[in-house]
Amino acid sequence: MTTDQHQHPSHAPRAQIAILDFGSQYSHLIARRLRELHIFCELYSCLVTKEELFGGTTTEDDHPKQIIGIILSGGPNSVYDPKAPHVAEGVWKEIEERKIPLLGICYGMQELAHVFGGKVAPCEKREYGKATVVVTTAPTTTTPDDGTTADGSGDEDVSPLLAGLPNEFDVWMSHGDKLHEVPTGFRAVVLYYRKPAPRTPPTWPLKISTQMWGIQFHPEVTHSPFGKDLLRNFAVNIVGAKQDWIMSDYAQEFMQDVRMKVGEHGHVIGAVSGGVDSTVAAVLMTRAIGHRFHAILVDNGCLRKDEATQVLKRMRDDCGVNLRCVYAQDRFLSQLKGVTDPEVKRKIIGGTFIDIFQEEAKMIEEENGIHCDFLLQGTLYPDVIESVSYKGPSATIKTHHNVGGLPASMKLKLIEPLRELFKDEVRELGIALGIDEVSVWRHPFPGPGLAIRILGEVTPERVAILQEADAIVIEELVNSGHYRKIGQAFVVLLPVKSVGVMGDGRTYENVACVRCVETTDYMTADFYHLPHDILGRMSSRVINEVVGINRLCYDISSKPPATIEWE
């Protein structure tokens, strides 16, 4: 399938804060923190051109762009390295001429200082981890070793960024370089930090005339407790950004504009899985154009227990989505027979899904005498971030046009209502649309389904065993009140058997493992600390109620180094 272009609503100019990404592992967190403040922002590569950043529309859509503030992220490079990335000269010129407020974070601060003539050099000792900052003075010059001030306290200049913050607070450091000399025309705000004894002070450069700020620590991480307050001070008090990024307004705006894109007689087709992303996207599209949206659910035989029936009830009966289900269990499972490699499993399932989707799309068109011109896709903003993030001078920045590898013969235009949203915003949008909480708070489920949670060969018998075990574990999490606290939970069926004793007999059956993780962004995750009594109840129920399992384990791995899914 080829997509002629992304189809997005057209809007009046939308004010935004632009985040220029220098490759930091925390860049996406800056965007998340601003979105939590209901401030619209977008992330761009640090190599973005002046035309891309200030001209035309927002990233890959039709929203007229209005950049009101800029944040430079951290990054792993050293600004003085010949191969280090730098903001384009044209972008700097535009920032200066428009007097756009700017905040540099870690590498971003060093980039700010480096470009304007300051001296950045290695620290005597690298600083990684927790530090305590003590606000002292705001001099015009400073010597790097003792923080000697030249004149004036300059407190009135410091207050906008530090408004409401205590004089002493904890932060998170992650750097090997520091600012040794403040650029001409900048004022230094010196803050001592200690671990626990006073150390060489980091320096915040501040250019009053254009409101350029730089900080050495990372306010976007949760390890900096007052970081969100500092970002609010910058975005709201200094930039003047409005806190009007509200999901109920977003829904109404999308529905009005998608009607204009699709027209009075246009039709949209899309695949749904019952997960929160596809549910919210499908309901949103249904509210916009009614039964001219045609949803397809494919039961590949590797769904959770009673999943197809439950999805049909929730989406078709309760939400009014024009949904048809294709029962293709035998077709998928027959092709998976004897296959153990996880990548081969994914390719088989993906290829078979494409074939079925194409067949059903053709059938829908023939049965209704229509032609579908548009494809609904549940792209989220993390996918877009992956497309535009800086990955180094030798890396290719891919364009995110992932439409599931559908055939080139299907010429459709994409509609992506969720492409500007994070997962938590999708849930907020679902609540605003009146979707039931069970659907909104469902944990993510992989496209290949249980096929990649069955290590080894996938057979109907092994699928049935895992479905039962998985259903018990999820039920226990819901009943104990832990389900909503967990980012993702599931059971893995291992290609291992163990000896057991049940009653007076010996058993030799399968081993299963429970996986529960805490995460907000799914890029990093920690195992969830379930109380032992709940683990014990899960184990007892699974072993007693599921024929074929006689041992249950609990996965205590974090991501990284492990991944959330096992395959």
Side-chain angles (χ1 to χ4, degrees):
M1 172 185 137
T2 59
T3 54
D4 297 337
Q5 64 181 39
H6 289 77
Q7 297 295 309
H8 298 278
S10 58
H11 298 271
R14 174 182 288 165
Q16 67 164 273
I17 292 177
I19 302 162
L20 305 195
D21 173 37
F22 284 90
S24 169
Q25 61 180 320
Y26 304 132
S27 294
H28 68 286
L29 293 179
I30 303 173
R32 285 188 60 84
R33 297 297 167 258
L34 292 178
R35 294 288 186 88
E36 288 169 2
L37 295 169
H38 301 290
I39 296 169
F40 183 68
C41 61
E42 286 194 293
L43 187 142
Y44 302 80
S45 167
C46 59
L47 304 181
V48 65
T49 66
K50 180 184 75 171
E51 292 74 23
E52 292 170 329
L53 185 60
F54 296 103
T57 59
T58 55
T59 307
E60 295 192 39
D61 68 23
D62 298 332
H63 295 151
K65 193 182 303 185
Q66 182 187 359
I67 304 297
I68 60 173
I70 291 177
I71 296 178
L72 307 182
S73 83
N77 297 282
S78 294
V79 292
Y80 48 80
D81 190 308
K83 296 182 179 180
H86 297 288
V87 174
E89 184 177 342
V91 172
W92 278 119
K93 185 177 180 182
E94 203 76 16
I95 293 170
E96 287 249 89
E97 289 180 352
R98 298 191 187 194
K99 292 183 170 55
I100 298 174
L102 180 144
L103 174 65
I105 296 173
C106 196
Y107 181 95
M109 182 205 75
Q110 295 166 10
E111 165 75 355
L112 172 65
H114 178 76
V115 167
F116 285 92
K119 181 182 178 181
V120 177
C123 302
E124 293 180 5
K125 292 182 179 180
R126 295 185 177 187
E127 295 288 346
Y128 296 107
K130 182 180 177 181
T132 300
V133 163
V134 181
V135 181
T136 56
T137 58
T140 54
T141 61
T142 173
T143 56
D145 292 328
D146 61 11
T148 304
T149 64
D151 62 1
S153 66
D155 288 342
E156 69 278 4
D157 299 326
V158 183
S159 59
L161 198 62
L162 301 181
L165 274 64
N167 288 331
E168 182 173 326
F169 52 92
D170 291 337
V171 297
W172 189 258
M173 295 284 189
S174 180
H175 62 97
D177 297 328
K178 72 170 185 177
L179 179 61
H180 287 252
E181 292 180 9
V182 178
T184 302
F186 283 72
R187 172 171 293 181
V189 178
V190 179
L191 297 103
Y192 289 86
Y193 64 89
R194 58 190 185 191
K195 285 182 167 182
R199 298 282 301 279
T200 302
T203 303
W204 295 10
L206 161 64
K207 193 169 187 180
I208 304 301
S209 61
T210 53
Q211 291 189 294
M212 291 184 177
W213 304 75
I215 56 177
Q216 185 61 73
F217 64 86
H218 288 272
E220 68 272 27
V221 301
T222 55
H223 301 296
S224 296
F226 291 95
K228 191 172 178 180
D229 298 309
L230 186 146
L231 289 173
R232 179 190 288 109
N233 285 341
F234 174 73
V236 178
N237 299 340
I238 295 174
V239 174
K242 294 182 179 179
Q243 295 174 274
D244 58 359
W245 181 244
I246 308 298
M247 288 302 99
S248 56
D249 295 342
Y250 178 86
Q252 291 301 320
E253 186 178 75
F254 172 82
M255 287 188 284
Q256 291 172 7
D257 293 327
V258 79
R259 290 170 189 144
M260 296 176 61
K261 290 289 184 183
V262 174
E264 294 182 4
H265 305 291
H267 289 260
V268 181
I269 194 169
V272 301
S273 65
V276 60
D277 301 340
S278 67
T279 297
V280 171
V283 171
L284 194 57
M285 187 58 64
T286 299
R287 298 277 177 86
I289 63 172
H291 276 50
R292 288 187 289 129
F293 169 58
H294 308 269
I296 300 172
L297 171 67
V298 178
D299 186 346
N300 61 11
C302 297
L303 301 180
R304 280 176 159 153
K305 183 181 179 181
D306 301 326
E307 179 84 343
T309 301
Q310 293 172 5
V311 171
L312 283 170
K313 181 185 183 302
R314 285 200 309 270
M315 295 187 68
R316 187 175 64 189
D317 301 343
D318 298 343
C319 296
V321 175
N322 180 17
L323 173 63
R324 64 196 292 166
C325 182
V326 183
Y327 297 94
Q329 300 95 319
D330 293 342
R331 185 168 170 179
F332 279 92
L333 292 175
S334 63
Q335 294 190 50
L336 289 170
K337 187 176 181 180
V339 177
T340 58
D341 184 279
E343 288 306 310
V344 176
K345 290 181 189 178
R346 289 178 181 273
K347 289 179 180 178
I348 289 173
I349 293 173
T352 305
F353 172 83
I354 289 169
D355 293 340
I356 292 173
F357 186 87
Q358 188 176 23
E359 294 164 8
E360 289 300 312
K362 183 178 179 181
M363 194 178 303
I364 287 172
E365 292 183 335
E366 291 176 349
E367 289 176 355
N368 296 279
I370 61 170
H371 180 70
C372 293
D373 295 309
F374 302 89
L375 173 71
L376 178 70
Q377 181 171 295
T379 307
L380 299 189
Y381 196 55
D383 300 320
V384 180
I385 288 177
E386 175 65 19
S387 301
V388 302
S389 295
Y390 174 76
K391 299 175 180 64
S394 62
T396 300
I397 307 300
K398 70 177 182 180
T399 302
H400 185 80
H401 287 256
N402 176 22
V403 292
L406 293 176
S409 58
M410 297 180 69
K411 295 184 180 295
L412 301 177
K413 300 171 185 177
L414 289 182
I415 296 178
E416 299 174 292
L418 311 181
R419 69 177 283 109
E420 294 180 327
L421 309 183
F422 286 101
K423 177 73 76 173
D424 56 335
E425 292 175 314
V426 174
R427 289 197 168 106
E428 185 181 341
L429 177 57
I431 296 295
L433 290 170
I435 299 173
D436 67 283
E437 289 199 2
V438 173
S439 297
V440 169
W441 288 97
R442 278 173 58 83
H443 290 174
F445 190 68
L450 299 181
I452 59 168
R453 293 177 179 174
I454 297 174
L455 276 58
E457 183 181 6
V458 179
T459 66
E461 294 75 22
R462 289 175 67 78
V463 170
I465 290 172
L466 183 53
Q467 285 177 331
E468 294 297 330
D470 185 80
I472 290 172
V473 167
I474 298 300
E475 181 182 324
E476 287 297 331
L477 291 175
V478 171
N479 291 343
S480 63
H482 286 274
Y483 184 84
R484 289 270 293 269
K485 302 174 184 177
I486 295 171
Q488 195 165 350
F490 54 91
V491 180
V492 179
L493 190 61
L494 307 182
V496 175
K497 289 190 173 183
S498 68
V499 174
V501 178
M502 298 187 73
D504 295 326
R506 174 184 180 275
T507 63
Y508 186 60
E509 294 178 337
N510 297 283
V511 177
C513 184
V514 175
R515 176 76 158 144
C516 300
V517 297
E518 284 184 287
T519 181
T520 55
D521 54 22
Y522 297 88
M523 301 175 75
T524 60
D526 193 10
F527 69 90
Y528 186 77
H529 294 251
L530 267 177
H532 289 180
D533 60 325
I534 296 173
L535 287 171
R537 192 157 58 244
M538 286 179 178
S539 178
S540 177
R541 286 195 60 192
V542 168
I543 292 172
N544 282 284
E545 297 177 31
V546 182
V547 177
I549 295 177
N550 70 356
R551 193 178 299 270
L552 190 68
C553 307
Y554 191 64
D555 185 345
I556 58 170
S557 306
S558 296
K559 176 187 179 182
T563 54
I564 295 177
E565 296 285 351
W566 280 45
E567 286 192 344

